[in-house]
Amino acid sequence: MTSIFDITNERFFMPLACKNRKIYMDAILFLNEVINGLFEAQDNDKTKIIDKLTNHLDDLVEVKLYKDDSGDEYEDKLDNRSKAALIINKLIDYGWLSEEMIGNNKTLDFNDYSYDFIDLIEKIVANNKPPYTSYVKQIKNVINQFDYSTVDDIEIVDNALNNFVVALRGLRSKIQTFYKHITKTVNLSDLLKEFTGEYKEYFFDSAYLNLKIRDGVDFEIPRIAEQLEKILHDSFNMEKLIDAKMKEKGFEMYGVAKDYIDKAKKRIITNIRTCPLIIEMIDTKNERYLARTTAVITHLIKRGEDIEGILNRLIDEVKNDKVVDENFAYMFTMHHYTFNSLSRPRNYNPKAKPDMLPVDSSVSNEAKNKALEILKEDSKYNVKNVNKYVSNFLNGDKQKKISEQKIKSKYEFVMIISIMMYSKLPKANYEIELLSERIKRNGISFNDFIIKQKENI
């Protein structure tokens, strides 16, 4: 297998790992813009590029350069032009830049693989959300009119599926990060900032919600998988693909072309089977994240946190989004079953046998009782008790405004917050609709909202 160091310089990653990594990174991104502009004007002279990097360094507050091998600062004080020349020569030495002699002048350009890494760096820095929906639509369009006379279609499907899986894995990793944060967060302000900010952006304002609701990915992925199975297991037409590949330079031999097509087939089948598993993991972790967030908020608010601030931030979070229409289905329970999926046997999951935990007899009865009281108090606000509270409040009615409820103590306020939080969970027996009217109870002001009993409960 080819190593990445067979393509790049062995010290290619030195600028990203040494003590000068920040200035190297800044210089690489700056030079990428400068060189492309000068190259298009056929004026990418090395001297001019050094001049532009010098001016860029002049605009910075302070630029300290260290020796890459030892990490020691350069003893001789270099001016910014000397630093610019040093940085560029180092990037040439490490294989990021290449120089070419044209007449009496030297020109600079990035190596081809350098552009790939720069593109990746820019995407990571920009933190762009992947367009999940585009991949599914693209794959559907191709497989519905699959062309065996050229390898274009199988390569489009292969690349789109691979990019889709990479995007989903990134999202899975992100929600895992959210969940790790929430298990450690004790600061309510940070918790709400993440929950109503970045988390909302990733899931309720982003393309992932479009993917789940508008594209019906839980329904479409099995259909795409079924169609791909037919396409890739058509032996006669797959031979046509191999013949088409043999017409390309470097793949003239049957065995080489067949190996290329077989590897593409294997990647496609693996990725299409992986998609539902990753989506299910994301949805499961989402549910746990919401449940954990609710538990932490209710736990902290009982210890004197700002009730009014929490209420109003959550009201902003649960406002109806333009993405969500009347056919909205909870993203956590969007499972579309087919006869094929129903016929597949379930995997046997043996029940774990719990072991008795040894009880430390040295713990005082007072400490035990205090711990039991805390657990009992916290359990008052779980989803089961919130459902019961809502049921008692509705008292047989299909819907009621929360303003009709008597709010006499902190308990009622905590319940209102819990109602908002749990409204996003499939276990909630109700849903809420935000109103524009403001109400004030016990000195706390917040938007009124309607609690509605879910149908078929």
Side-chain angles (χ1 to χ4, degrees):
M1 181 179 177
T2 304
S3 167
I4 191 172
F5 298 109
D6 294 331
I7 302 170
T8 67
N9 187 304
E10 287 191 0
R11 300 207 295 165
F12 182 77
F13 296 102
M14 175 67 81
L16 307 180
C18 68
K19 201 168 182 179
N20 293 318
R21 55 187 176 275
K22 289 186 178 180
I23 187 60
Y24 274 134
M25 181 65 64
D26 178 78
I28 287 170
L29 296 178
F30 175 77
L31 290 172
N32 178 50
E33 184 178 346
V34 168
I35 288 176
N36 288 331
L38 292 175
F39 196 87
E40 290 169 6
Q42 298 182 346
D43 193 24
N44 56 324
D45 181 73
K46 183 178 180 180
T47 304
K48 288 187 177 181
I49 293 172
I50 291 175
D51 290 340
K52 288 186 176 293
L53 183 57
T54 302
N55 293 334
H56 177 68
L57 296 180
D58 288 338
D59 292 336
L60 301 179
V61 177
E62 184 182 16
V63 179
K64 287 187 177 181
L65 275 183
Y66 303 89
K67 295 178 182 178
D68 293 340
D69 51 355
S70 65
D72 298 329
E73 190 173 359
Y74 280 96
E75 296 177 1
D76 298 330
K77 289 192 175 182
L78 305 174
D79 58 19
N80 282 343
R81 181 172 180 78
S82 299
K83 290 176 182 177
L86 179 62
I87 290 169
I88 287 173
N89 287 332
K90 285 288 186 181
L91 290 175
I92 293 171
D93 184 43
Y94 294 142
W96 281 82
L97 291 168
S98 61
E99 59 181 354
E100 181 183 3
M101 182 67 81
I102 298 180
N104 295 325
N105 298 326
K106 290 182 179 179
T107 61
L108 285 181
D109 193 10
F110 282 100
N111 289 311
D112 54 348
Y113 51 81
S114 300
Y115 281 112
D116 292 333
F117 281 99
I118 292 169
D119 180 59
L120 176 62
I121 291 167
E122 288 179 337
K123 286 179 180 177
I124 293 173
V125 172
N127 194 26
N128 293 330
K129 311 298 181 299
Y132 307 103
T133 51
S134 64
Y135 300 125
V136 176
K137 291 176 182 177
Q138 185 181 23
I139 294 166
K140 282 173 60 180
N141 291 337
V142 172
I143 64 175
N144 287 336
Q145 296 179 337
F146 196 84
D147 185 3
Y148 291 96
S149 64
T150 174
V151 295
D152 290 349
D153 283 0
I154 194 170
E155 288 178 345
I156 290 171
V157 172
D158 186 16
N159 291 331
L161 260 178
N162 187 67
N163 292 335
F164 184 51
V165 169
V166 169
L168 288 177
R169 282 175 173 156
L171 185 60
R172 179 195 63 192
S173 177
K174 190 66 180 176
I175 186 62
Q176 178 67 23
T177 303
F178 284 138
Y179 187 71
K180 286 180 181 177
H181 285 174
I182 200 66
T183 57
K184 298 176 181 177
T185 300
V186 293
N187 184 291
L188 191 56
S189 177
D190 293 342
L191 184 155
L192 285 173
K193 183 178 180 182
E194 182 178 272
F195 180 77
T196 60
E198 192 176 6
Y199 172 83
K200 181 173 181 286
E201 181 184 354
Y202 262 91
F203 294 98
F204 296 100
D205 292 343
S206 71
Y208 186 69
L209 190 59
N210 282 320
L211 182 74
K212 296 289 288 186
I213 295 175
R214 290 186 177 173
D215 285 10
V217 68
D218 295 314
F219 176 64
E220 292 294 348
I221 290 296
R223 292 180 64 181
I224 290 172
E226 185 179 351
Q227 183 67 13
L228 283 173
E229 289 280 347
K230 293 178 182 178
I231 291 171
L232 299 177
H233 288 89
D234 186 336
S235 302
F236 177 76
N237 282 318
M238 292 308 291
E239 287 295 324
K240 289 184 180 180
L241 277 179
I242 296 172
D243 290 339
K245 190 63 184 175
M246 288 173 66
K247 295 176 182 178
E248 294 186 9
K249 187 177 180 181
F251 294 89
E252 296 88 352
M253 295 179 63
Y254 177 84
V256 177
K258 184 177 185 302
D259 183 60
Y260 178 88
I261 298 297
D262 286 346
K263 286 181 178 178
K265 282 173 56 179
K266 184 178 179 181
R267 280 193 303 270
I268 290 171
I269 292 171
T270 300
N271 283 332
I272 195 64
R273 291 176 179 174
T274 300
C275 288
L277 301 175
I278 300 176
I279 291 171
E280 186 177 356
M281 289 178 189
I282 293 168
D283 291 345
T284 301
K285 191 61 73 172
N286 268 341
E287 184 172 358
R288 290 179 182 174
Y289 174 76
L290 283 168
R292 176 64 181 169
T293 303
T294 305
V296 173
I297 284 179
T298 54
H299 176 79
L300 291 176
I301 196 172
K302 289 180 298 178
R303 285 148 180 79
E305 298 288 350
D306 177 21
I307 296 176
E308 186 167 1
I310 294 170
L311 272 171
N312 287 296
R313 291 190 71 169
L314 288 178
I315 283 168
D316 287 338
E317 199 277 331
V318 299
K319 281 180 180 175
N320 291 331
D321 198 287
K322 292 179 181 179
V323 170
V324 182
D325 54 26
E326 293 179 356
N327 298 318
F328 173 75
Y330 278 95
M331 63 188 296
F332 305 120
T333 55
M334 293 182 64
H335 299 294
H336 299 271
Y337 298 101
T338 62
F339 287 109
N340 288 334
S341 62
L342 287 172
S343 66
R344 293 173 187 165
R346 293 177 61 187
N347 293 329
Y348 173 66
N349 242 345
K351 290 185 178 180
K353 294 182 179 179
D355 293 329
M356 294 294 293
L357 291 174
V359 178
D360 187 357
S361 58
S362 63
V363 178
S364 66
N365 289 330
E366 183 182 354
K368 292 177 186 176
N369 291 333
K370 188 174 180 181
L372 288 172
E373 285 175 8
I374 292 173
L375 290 173
K376 186 177 178 181
E377 177 68 16
D378 287 347
S379 68
K380 286 164 55 177
Y381 304 101
N382 60 28
V383 67
K384 181 179 177 181
N385 285 325
V386 170
N387 280 334
K388 186 177 178 181
Y389 182 89
V390 169
S391 179
N392 291 335
F393 169 62
L394 293 176
N395 194 24
D397 295 334
K398 289 189 176 180
Q399 62 181 45
K400 272 187 180 180
K401 291 183 179 180
I402 195 64
S403 55
E404 297 179 37
Q405 172 70 346
K406 293 180 179 179
I407 304 175
K408 300 178 180 179
S409 65
K410 186 183 287 187
Y411 169 76
E412 279 80 18
F413 280 114
V414 175
M415 270 299 177
I416 291 173
I417 290 171
S418 300
I419 288 168
M420 285 187 176
M421 295 290 295
Y422 283 125
S423 67
K424 292 191 177 295
L425 293 179
K427 293 179 182 178
N429 295 339
Y430 61 91
E431 54 192 5
I432 65 174
E433 178 186 340
L434 188 67
L435 301 175
S436 57
E437 295 87 1
R438 298 287 291 180
I439 60 174
K440 192 169 186 177
R441 297 291 184 274
N442 291 358
I444 295 176
S445 173
F446 59 95
N447 277 65
D448 199 2
F449 59 89
I450 298 173
I451 301 178
K452 300 178 181 180
Q453 182 74 37
K454 279 185 186 175
E455 295 182 3
N456 302 322
I457 293 296

